[in-house]
Amino acid sequence: MVIMLKRKMLRDIRKNLSQFITIFLMVMIGIMAYSGIKAYMGGMQETRDKFYSENNLYDLSVMGYLNHDDLKTIKGLDNVNDAELKLSVTATTDNDKTLLLNFIESNSISKFYVFQGEKFDVNKSGIWLDNFYALENDIKVGDTVLVKYDGMILHEKVLGRINVPDHLYDVRDESELYPDRKEFGFAYMSTNEITEDYIKSLVMKEANITDENVFKMVMPNFKYKNYIPFSSIMADVKDKSKVDDVKEIIEDKVENAKAIINVEDTSSYVAYQGEIDEGKTYVGVFSGIFLFIAMLSVITTMTRVVKNQRTQIGTLKALGFSNRRILLHYIGYGFWISVIASIVGLVLGYFAIGNVFIGTEMDFFEIPNGHPAMDSSCYYMAAIVVLVVALITFITCRSILKENPAETLRTKIPSIKGKALNITKKGFFKKLSFSSKWNLRDVLRNKMRTFMGLAGIVGCCALIVCSFGMLDSMNFFVKLQFEDLYNFDYKLNIKEGISSEEYDELYDKYGNNTSQSLGIEIKNKDGKRESNNILVTDAGDYLRFVDNKNRIKDKPTDNGVYVTYKLAETNNYKLGDEIEWHIYGDSKYYKSKIIGFNKDPQNQNVSMTKKYLESLGIEYKPDALYTNNDLSKTKEIKNIETIQNINSLKEGMTGMLSMMRTMLIMIIGIAILLGSVIIYNLGILSYTEKEYQFATLKVLGFKDKQIENIFIKQNNWIAIISIIIGLPAGFYLTDWLFKTAIEEHYDFCAFITTRTYIIAAIGTFIVSYLVSKFLARKIKKIDMVTSLKGNE
């Protein structure tokens, strides 16, 4: 008996092969999408946690002009494991590229991951170079690079190519959205490489001494290493839950500490964590939609398959098979196919999606050994899918088994509400053609099948709109940032500590459109302090403000501060509210009235004018100058750290868009594949259920072409209605993703072009039409006698 049932199952599967193939594909695609995105995000998290742990990422960065006494004080605190001094400066190379150059004495905190070369040794003369920067510029271990900073010129042998846990994501400044690895990188050197002459010149300048003989008399026992102006101390805290307590103690005990920043507030940490948070939303949205659509179609298909086996179930009952045996037999149809499909989906998800996505991310973030990581939820989800398919089969089969064998041997007469079908005899519907009336009645008879088809095609259309729409939106905000907000050709980053005369020299040559960025802490209404920054603008029309509808606003006024819309929304700020803030390194708090809001796609901060800043008694010291002078042939300017071309800033975005494009193309591909399978499945179900009616129409004299048109028309209706619903659904999905998933420092919303809507609409309709046309060919092969006899 068991062998007979197995043969029957194989025969039924062969007979309904197309329907079972669609079940397999839908389960596989759904599980593949879920497990692939989950493995990608799990890999991001696991890779990050392992890198931070094994390489001992610091917990606090103490900023200021610091020395060994400060280091000793911090190391002596109860809850501090270890601490290290670091001097970070912006240097240039012989080919005018920029390096964030770090001088250190040891490397037990934020340790190097060495790809190639030697581990850090303070007694070694040479440079450890950012791995991405080295690869982009074809620099190998053993090569010699020239590094220039403030008159100090160093020729250094490359000792290693490295990743460092606090340099996962480095940009030159807030005007760059995407790291330019070819033009900007980081490097580390031993403090022994800092020349004595350089430190002596700094000390003499500070002491206002110009004669070296006088200097020798004033400081006869000068040891230059004691005067290195370290810019930060990295602290490793024992009890991570008490980091804020350690921060407060350092503020009290270390007078030179100008700012103390938690690692969680640094741009590198925030950017990577933001990518993980975005991915978690994608897991819930994209993979959730894929699974939902797939399961709707699988449930419909399995229900129809079992119901079409009604007479066979009656025959098995009449032959004496127990209800339990029959249930197990039919549950096996969906169970084994969904088990195999789930296994294939898990494997493809890990390798085809997880590997591709994580590889793309590892090209973006400087972190080694990235790999996908599939957690137990993927296996639970696969098990749930298999159980749902089995449960639906069980419920459907059990409802048939409740009837006696005599009833099940007869074809069940569908329950049709005459009043619902009478709509075709009234008003406008009365004037419809026969094919339209026939299809309308068929839709009313099979509401669930129609709903499932609509839901599936709407979901796929929305996903296509969303995927293309995200690229449209990113392109739009690149334009907003670099053409509307930034109205300059070059940004010159001014060195710290220059004199007013040196400022005047720059203004005479390049104009006086400037700005200053101040690191601040804002005290929220609940008393909690949050790190932020203030942009002080004296740049005229070179830096513009836009409103929430992306329209350029009037120039800012001088009687308060402007807050970005997203920051205001996050902190519940209203027009007229006051914010309380202080500059890092200055304990004095200021209260400023919010007089307006502005939109910034990439920085959620506070803005004010130079005049308002000075009205608070704070000296304005610009750190950026904006100009439209042609500097294309200028390599170096006195008192300017870096020269940034607006076009190069825009081009830097192509890397980010390229990464997004790879991911979104894969999502679009999955959506199109799933949509095609669903449309095909809908067509198969529709055709199977109508085969008897089509045979009847043939007998009544309808030509094959006419019946084909009837069949295709209904599928076209469903596709058109789905497109009408799916296009706006895609917009709202995109908008929701940008507002929910995108990291909090960015302020993006959906901006979808007409072209995207047209592509999604035409693409969805063409797929639906081609599938319908393909299935319509079966009408020519209908055996009228067999089809009609089968329903007696």
Side-chain angles (χ1 to χ4, degrees):
M1 291 174 67
V2 175
I3 295 174
M4 185 186 81
L5 290 177
K6 285 182 178 178
R7 288 176 177 171
K8 176 184 177 300
M9 182 189 291
L10 292 173
R11 186 178 65 249
D12 289 338
I13 290 173
R14 281 198 303 270
K15 185 178 177 182
N16 301 281
L17 187 60
S18 57
Q19 292 185 51
F20 283 106
I21 287 174
T22 57
I23 292 171
F24 176 88
L25 288 174
M26 285 184 288
V27 172
M28 184 198 76
I29 293 168
I31 294 296
M32 180 178 71
Y34 180 86
S35 62
I37 299 176
K38 195 77 174 174
Y40 149 58
M41 292 321 306
M44 289 278 289
Q45 181 102 34
E46 188 175 295
T47 301
R48 190 274 307 268
D49 292 346
K50 183 178 179 182
F51 188 43
Y52 284 173
S53 175
E54 291 182 352
N55 295 73
N56 195 23
L57 176 68
Y58 69 80
D59 298 298
L60 290 173
S61 179
V62 184
M63 315 294 288
Y65 292 103
L66 302 156
N67 53 46
H68 285 90
D69 290 336
D70 299 321
L71 177 67
K72 185 178 179 180
T73 301
I74 293 172
K75 278 188 172 183
L77 298 179
D78 289 339
N79 199 29
V80 172
N81 268 326
D82 196 5
E84 290 182 8
L85 285 160
K86 181 165 72 171
L87 170 61
S88 299
V89 298
T90 302
T92 56
T93 65
D94 55 343
N95 48 7
D96 297 305
K97 298 182 188 296
T98 307
L99 282 177
L100 179 61
L101 188 58
N102 303 276
F103 293 94
I104 57 176
E105 298 176 320
S106 59
N107 188 226
S108 58
I109 299 176
S110 289
K111 293 186 291 186
F112 300 168
Y113 178 92
V114 182
F115 281 94
Q116 187 180 4
E118 308 175 23
K119 291 183 178 180
F120 178 77
D121 185 342
V122 70
N123 297 313
K124 287 275 188 176
S125 177
I127 190 168
W128 284 264
L129 206 57
D130 167 5
N131 182 56
F132 276 21
Y133 177 86
L135 290 174
E136 285 288 336
N137 290 281
D138 196 27
I139 300 173
K140 299 177 179 64
V141 172
D143 290 353
T144 299
V145 296
L146 184 147
V147 181
K148 299 178 288 183
Y149 171 70
D150 198 21
M152 183 170 60
I153 300 175
L154 303 170
H155 295 269
E156 299 291 338
K157 180 182 177 182
V158 178
L159 299 178
R161 294 189 294 110
I162 59 172
N163 275 169
V164 184
D166 54 326
H167 291 280
L168 301 193
Y169 177 89
D170 276 342
V171 292
R172 269 183 284 206
D173 59 32
E174 71 282 352
S175 62
E176 288 190 343
L177 287 177
Y178 183 83
D180 186 346
R181 314 291 190 189
K182 192 172 183 67
E183 298 296 324
F184 177 74
F186 64 86
Y188 279 78
M189 295 170 64
S190 165
T191 49
N192 294 335
E193 296 301 286
I194 303 175
T195 62
E196 182 175 356
D197 288 343
Y198 173 68
I199 298 300
K200 185 189 291 185
S201 67
L202 292 180
V203 175
M204 289 177 66
K205 185 177 181 181
E206 183 71 21
N208 200 25
I209 298 173
T210 55
D211 190 324
E212 192 163 333
N213 292 322
V214 174
F215 177 76
K216 287 178 180 178
M217 291 174 60
V218 174
M219 294 186 175
N221 299 315
F222 176 71
K223 294 181 180 179
Y224 82 96
K225 287 188 178 180
N226 293 335
Y227 292 90
I228 295 174
F230 289 100
S231 56
S232 67
I233 294 176
M234 300 179 291
D236 177 26
V237 177
K238 294 177 185 175
D239 186 349
K240 310 302 181 186
S241 65
K242 296 181 179 179
V243 167
D244 289 338
D245 296 338
V246 175
K247 186 176 178 180
E248 290 181 5
I249 295 171
I250 294 174
E251 285 177 341
D252 292 337
K253 293 193 172 186
V254 181
E255 186 178 341
N256 291 328
K258 301 299 182 184
I260 305 169
I261 301 172
N262 292 50
V263 70
E264 292 86 355
D265 294 326
T266 59
S267 60
S268 173
Y269 191 101
V270 166
Y272 196 89
Q273 184 60 45
E275 197 73 12
I276 291 173
D277 293 340
E278 290 169 28
K280 288 177 180 176
T281 305
Y282 296 151
V283 169
V285 175
F286 285 117
S287 58
I289 291 174
F290 282 129
L291 269 175
F292 174 72
I293 295 169
M295 288 312 298
L296 276 181
S297 299
V298 169
I299 289 167
T300 307
T301 306
M302 281 308 304
T303 302
R304 297 294 180 184
V305 167
V306 174
K307 284 186 175 180
N308 287 340
Q309 290 275 316
R310 177 185 175 81
T311 53
Q312 287 92 325
I313 291 172
T315 303
L316 291 173
K317 284 185 73 175
L319 291 173
F321 283 85
S322 66
N323 287 355
R324 179 175 173 277
R325 174 60 64 187
I326 296 171
L327 278 171
L328 290 174
H329 170 68
Y330 281 99
I331 288 172
Y333 280 62
F335 178 82
W336 292 112
I337 287 175
S338 56
V339 164
I340 297 169
S342 295
I343 293 170
V344 174
L346 288 169
V347 173
L348 289 177
Y350 184 91
F351 289 103
I353 297 180
N355 252 340
V356 171
F357 279 22
I358 202 80
T360 305
E361 291 287 3
M362 294 306 102
D363 289 338
F364 182 67
F365 291 103
E366 300 213 31
I367 186 167
N369 303 324
H371 61 275
M374 197 175 286
D375 61 25
S376 56
S377 68
C378 297
Y379 305 108
Y380 293 147
M381 184 57 68
I384 289 169
V385 168
V386 173
L387 289 173
V388 168
V389 173
L391 181 63
I392 292 301
T393 311
F394 170 80
I395 292 170
T396 306
C397 191
R398 191 164 175 269
S399 66
I400 297 173
L401 287 171
K402 286 181 179 179
E403 302 173 16
N404 62 54
E407 289 176 341
T408 55
L409 285 168
R410 299 191 187 94
T411 302
K412 187 173 182 179
I413 300 172
S415 176
I416 299 171
K417 294 181 180 179
K419 289 183 179 179
L421 298 182
N422 282 338
I423 191 173
T424 57
K425 298 179 182 179
K426 299 175 183 178
F428 165 78
F429 299 102
K430 188 178 180 180
K431 299 176 183 179
L432 294 175
S433 64
F434 169 80
S435 61
S436 298
K437 288 179 181 178
W438 191 92
N439 278 316
L440 184 58
R441 283 174 170 248
D442 186 66
V443 166
L444 294 172
R445 284 194 198 101
N446 298 279
K447 297 184 185 70
M448 184 53 66
R449 184 194 73 212
T450 305
F451 171 76
M452 295 295 186
L454 279 170
I457 301 172
V458 165
C460 295
C461 182
L463 283 172
I464 293 171
V465 171
C466 178
S467 299
F468 280 113
M470 290 179 79
L471 284 175
D472 287 342
S473 301
M474 289 299 296
N475 284 322
F476 171 76
F477 280 101
V478 170
K479 176 188 175 297
L480 178 69
Q481 185 77 62
F482 296 109
E483 294 181 23
D484 298 338
L485 292 176
Y486 293 168
N487 187 34
F488 55 83
D489 291 336
Y490 290 89
K491 178 182 178 182
L492 310 181
N493 294 296
I494 304 171
K495 289 181 179 178
E496 285 187 54
I498 69 172
S499 65
S500 57
E501 291 79 10
E502 288 170 320
Y503 273 120
D504 290 337
E505 286 180 16
L506 290 172
Y507 297 159
D508 289 341
K509 289 183 179 179
Y510 307 108
N512 62 351
N513 296 287
T514 59
S515 72
Q516 181 181 8
S517 185
L518 296 171
I520 64 167
E521 270 191 334
I522 299 175
K523 187 183 288 185
N524 290 337
K525 296 174 183 178
D526 58 2
K528 186 179 178 182
R529 295 182 298 176
E530 289 185 357
S531 298
N532 208 296
N533 66 84
I534 287 178
L535 175 68
V536 185
T537 177
D538 189 38
D541 195 46
Y542 285 71
L543 291 180
R544 295 166 171 166
F545 283 20
V546 298
D547 63 19
N548 215 17
K549 294 183 178 178
N550 307 312
R551 297 175 300 199
I552 296 174
K553 298 177 66 172
D554 294 333
K555 292 181 180 179
T557 55
D558 307 318
N559 56 336
V561 299
Y562 293 80
V563 176
T564 55
Y565 286 102
K566 191 164 185 178
L567 182 63
E569 182 182 346
T570 303
N571 292 283
N572 198 27
Y573 292 143
K574 304 285 190 300
L575 199 66
D577 285 355
E578 285 189 334
I579 61 169
E580 191 174 357
W581 55 278
H582 79 96
I583 301 171
Y584 277 124
D586 184 354
S587 59
K588 182 179 179 180
Y589 273 88
Y590 301 89
K591 286 187 177 180
S592 298
K593 183 180 179 181
I594 298 174
I595 59 172
F597 301 105
N598 65 292
K599 184 170 187 174
D600 193 320
Q602 60 173 328
N603 293 298
Q604 306 317 309
N605 59 4
V606 179
S607 301
M608 63 174 65
T609 62
K610 170 190 173 185
K611 190 173 181 180
Y612 178 71
L613 179 78
E614 292 176 335
S615 73
L616 298 174
I618 304 171
E619 184 183 0
Y620 176 69
K621 294 181 178 179
D623 53 24
L625 188 152
Y626 308 93
T627 183
N628 286 331
N629 291 11
D630 183 6
L631 302 177
S632 56
K633 297 181 180 178
T634 303
K635 301 298 181 183
E636 195 172 335
I637 298 174
K638 183 182 178 183
N639 294 317
I640 296 297
E641 282 192 341
T642 56
I643 304 169
Q644 291 178 283
N645 183 342
I646 192 69
N647 291 323
S648 66
L649 293 178
K650 286 171 68 175
E651 289 167 5
M653 277 299 297
T654 55
M656 179 182 284
L657 293 175
S658 175
M659 183 187 73
M660 281 187 63
R661 193 173 290 112
T662 302
M663 296 181 178
L664 294 175
I665 285 172
M666 186 168 286
I667 291 172
I668 291 167
I670 295 172
I672 291 171
L673 178 60
L674 185 58
S676 302
V677 172
I678 286 170
I679 292 168
Y680 181 79
N681 183 55
L682 174 67
I684 283 286
L685 288 176
S686 178
Y687 174 81
T688 304
E689 291 173 357
K690 295 171 187 173
E691 191 171 1
Y692 171 69
Q693 292 96 316
F694 289 158
T696 304
L697 291 174
K698 274 195 166 191
V699 171
L700 292 173
F702 281 79
K703 295 179 180 178
D704 290 341
K705 193 69 176 175
Q706 292 174 300
I707 301 172
E708 285 179 15
N709 289 337
I710 292 172
F711 175 69
I712 292 171
K713 179 181 281 189
Q714 184 179 135
N715 291 341
N716 287 347
W717 286 0
I718 293 171
I720 290 169
I721 294 170
S722 299
I723 290 166
I724 292 170
I725 300 170
L727 295 181
F731 172 85
Y732 287 114
L733 176 61
T734 309
D735 198 51
W736 182 83
L737 277 173
F738 273 125
K739 290 177 178 177
T740 306
I742 296 296
E743 195 269 313
E744 63 179 13
H745 286 275
Y746 297 107
D747 185 8
F748 294 162
C749 59
F751 184 87
I752 302 177
T753 62
T754 304
R755 183 186 65 178
T756 289
Y757 289 122
I758 292 172
I759 289 171
I762 293 177
T764 303
F765 184 81
I766 287 175
V767 171
S768 175
Y769 180 79
L770 291 176
V771 169
S772 300
K773 196 76 175 171
F774 174 76
L775 290 170
R777 297 187 306 175
K778 290 176 174 284
I779 292 170
K780 296 177 182 178
K781 301 176 183 178
I782 291 177
D783 185 338
M784 290 179 283
V785 175
T786 304
S787 298
L788 294 171
K789 289 285 287 182
N791 286 276
E792 288 182 357

